[in-house]
Amino acid sequence: MAPFLAVGALFVVTRTVLLLFTVREREFVLPSVTNDVREIYSRWYDVLSTGSFPDHDVMWQYPPAAALVILAPGLLPFSYSTSFYWISFAVDVLTFVVLLVAARRRLVESGAAPAPAEATTERWAWARTQPWAAWVWTLGVALGGPIAYGRYDLIVTGVAVCALVLLVRADARPELDLTGARRRLWGGGGLLAFGAMLKIWPVLLLLCVGPGRRWREAWGAAVVTGTLILFGFWAGMPHALSFLNAQGGRGVEVESIAALPFHVASHHGWDGYVALNYGSMEYLGPHVNLAAKLCLIASALAFGWLVFWRLTARTWHDATTADAALVGVLLFVVTSRVISPQYMVWMVGLGAVCALHFGPRGGSVMRLPVVLVLIATALSCVEYPYWFDELLNAERGAVLLVTVRNVLLLGAAVIGASRLWRSTRAPAGAQGLAGGLRVLVAQAGSRSRSQEMSAP
């Protein structure tokens, strides 16, 4: 019980700080990270309230269900920005509770709670009883800073986390509860489709669903849900599909990996510049289009690798769906033309679901990638907003900071992909035998230590 109380206390403290830095932002002498809510989202709210999408605004680049998030603050009796922050906080709390309950269930089902004698002698007893998923979410969102409540990415991530928890739960011995597993698969698939209608990236998670019936059930639910949402918005609101051609002229955002050559070139006579483009600060000028195309090619290759892995995976364990989800999104982010600081919450949320299978006997292979993501999240909070002006001027310290952050993300993607590949190469029987041997060895060690303590 103590670990759950500790993570709950940390959640309360950190979220109180985040609320103060957003709801009471003007009372603190800090750079603002909530301009999007106060200036852009509120402007979209005015247009969406008339029953039409803001298709003439180049900053509107989102699927139609994003309108629900933008319109939701109008249901609360506060100012638009304050209502938005409270909605973000509510989704944050809901996500935390879902992860905490899932962690508790996981610990009970795996028998991770040690006996009294074992708790004092086993080296890793403390790790076995930790709700790692709740810890990762609590720390990750806090390390990202107030921008977590100043963009709607946390809301999308909350939907994706709930969907992924259902899908991971369906992977855990589904033969014992076929009806329950089917409900979870349909629920998870439907939530992923809804998440993809809020912001595209959750659709990647559908590639990570387990094989056979699990894949058919989840994809069936996703197709039905996505079709209904798209048709509803298409029939009810003009320009619902305008997002499909909204990013054709994007440059290279200053925080992306592809921006590094231009940071350097700007000090050596390169005839380019930084400008506000499609809602973000991007490099424009000679060779930028080439870099942007290379990013698209890299994203296509990463997607191809993910599909190839999915088609050739030989075995599937409880943590594979969550592990693959984190790897897929990491690959998408590091190859993207844009790496905005709010993207970090995507990977924090997926890492938290992976952490349901952390601990000495956990099946996840994403421990190191999750740690790298948390460090990168903290660096992103420093880079934006504190060093962002320096980055726009390509000053050495800011460029170095962003480069370190991007190297950490790239390392997490490469390490995660390598580990995911190896973890699904072994035949299922061999993996099961290895897992059984590990459990038997651990149990034998615990019994021997208990006997030593009871010996006179």
Side-chain angles (χ1 to χ4, degrees):
M1 182 60 69
F4 288 82
L5 294 176
V7 72
L10 182 63
F11 182 87
V12 170
V13 171
T14 55
R15 280 12 179 215
T16 300
V17 173
L18 290 182
L19 278 174
L20 287 174
F21 284 172
T22 50
V23 175
R24 300 289 185 181
E25 181 184 41
R26 296 181 180 180
E27 300 178 13
F28 297 91
V29 185
L30 293 171
S32 176
V33 295
T34 60
N35 291 334
D36 280 25
V37 176
R38 289 183 283 105
E39 299 176 8
I40 299 175
Y41 291 3
S42 60
R43 183 174 74 238
W44 291 342
Y45 174 83
D46 294 336
V47 177
L48 290 166
S49 298
T50 66
S52 178
F53 283 92
D55 63 306
H56 297 298
D57 189 338
V58 296
M59 291 185 176
W60 180 261
Q61 308 156 12
Y62 308 110
L68 301 177
V69 177
I70 303 302
L71 291 170
L75 301 175
L76 300 182
F78 312 115
S79 68
Y80 182 86
S81 56
T82 299
S83 299
F84 186 90
Y85 306 144
W86 279 109
I87 290 173
S88 297
F89 170 72
V91 175
D92 187 11
V93 172
L94 174 63
T95 306
F96 174 76
V97 171
V98 167
L99 290 169
L100 199 65
V101 171
R104 176 61 181 170
R105 182 186 297 116
R106 168 73 180 168
L107 290 174
V108 171
E109 291 179 351
S110 64
E118 188 179 349
T120 61
T121 60
E122 188 174 342
R123 181 180 179 184
W124 296 105
W126 66 273
R128 292 175 53 199
T129 57
Q130 294 292 329
W132 290 114
W135 281 114
V136 171
W137 178 256
T138 300
L139 290 171
V141 174
L143 289 172
I147 198 171
Y149 290 178
R151 302 289 190 276
Y152 86 91
D153 295 79
L154 184 141
I155 296 172
V156 181
T157 303
V159 174
V161 167
C162 292
L164 202 54
V165 167
L166 287 173
L167 295 175
V168 169
R169 176 69 175 160
D171 282 340
R173 304 181 70 182
E175 69 279 359
L176 299 182
D177 184 9
L178 292 177
T179 303
R182 187 175 185 182
R183 285 198 302 265
R184 296 182 190 102
L185 289 167
W186 274 85
L191 281 175
L192 284 184
F194 177 60
M197 292 297 101
L198 294 173
K199 205 163 188 174
I200 290 294
W201 68 266
V203 76
L204 282 173
L205 276 56
L206 284 169
L207 282 175
C208 309
V209 179
R213 180 184 57 82
R214 289 171 286 180
W215 189 90
R216 293 190 297 271
E217 299 279 359
W219 272 83
V223 169
V224 170
T225 304
T227 301
L228 290 175
I229 292 174
L230 277 177
F231 179 78
F233 278 102
W234 174 79
M237 294 180 69
H239 312 297
L241 304 181
S242 61
F243 73 99
L244 293 175
N245 59 356
Q247 300 195 46
R250 292 212 75 145
V252 172
E253 198 255 352
V254 295
E255 296 162 291
S256 66
I257 292 177
L260 179 59
F262 301 109
H263 287 310
V264 176
S266 63
H267 294 288
H268 295 84
W270 174 66
D271 189 21
Y273 58 95
V274 175
L276 181 64
N277 190 46
Y278 286 87
S280 62
M281 302 304 294
E282 299 182 352
Y283 273 115
L284 302 174
H287 311 300
V288 171
N289 286 337
L290 174 61
K293 290 178 181 178
L294 290 176
C295 287
L296 293 176
I297 293 172
S299 294
L301 291 175
F303 180 78
W305 179 89
L306 192 64
V307 172
F308 179 74
W309 162 81
R310 177 62 185 78
L311 294 175
T312 59
R314 296 179 182 177
T315 187
W316 204 274
H317 51 83
D318 291 356
T320 299
T321 296
D323 288 355
L326 177 59
V327 170
V329 172
L330 276 168
L331 291 173
F332 169 78
V333 168
V334 298
T335 59
S336 174
R337 294 171 291 179
V338 180
I339 305 182
S340 295
Q342 63 266 25
Y343 290 7
M344 303 305 298
V345 76
W346 308 353
M347 294 166 285
V348 167
L350 300 179
V353 182
C354 293
L356 289 171
H357 296 270
F358 283 5
R361 299 178 189 173
S364 176
V365 293
M366 293 295 128
R367 293 170 181 81
L368 180 55
V370 169
V371 171
L372 296 178
V373 165
L374 291 176
I375 298 172
T377 301
L379 294 180
S380 294
C381 183
V382 176
E383 174 266 318
Y384 184 85
Y386 299 101
W387 286 19
F388 193 64
D389 289 340
E390 289 81 355
L391 183 65
L392 296 180
N393 295 320
E395 294 185 12
R396 181 179 301 174
V399 172
L400 179 61
L401 178 66
V402 170
T403 301
V404 172
R405 190 278 306 268
N406 289 343
V407 168
L408 288 172
L409 290 178
L410 185 60
V414 172
I415 294 170
S418 174
R419 292 185 173 187
L420 177 67
W421 180 272
R422 292 198 304 269
S423 71
T424 55
R425 293 302 96 185
Q431 188 187 46
L433 178 60
L437 288 175
R438 285 196 297 270
V439 172
L440 288 174
V441 170
Q443 291 175 346
S446 298
R447 284 195 297 270
S448 64
R449 283 189 292 271
S450 298
Q451 291 171 359
E452 290 175 1
M453 289 189 64
S454 61

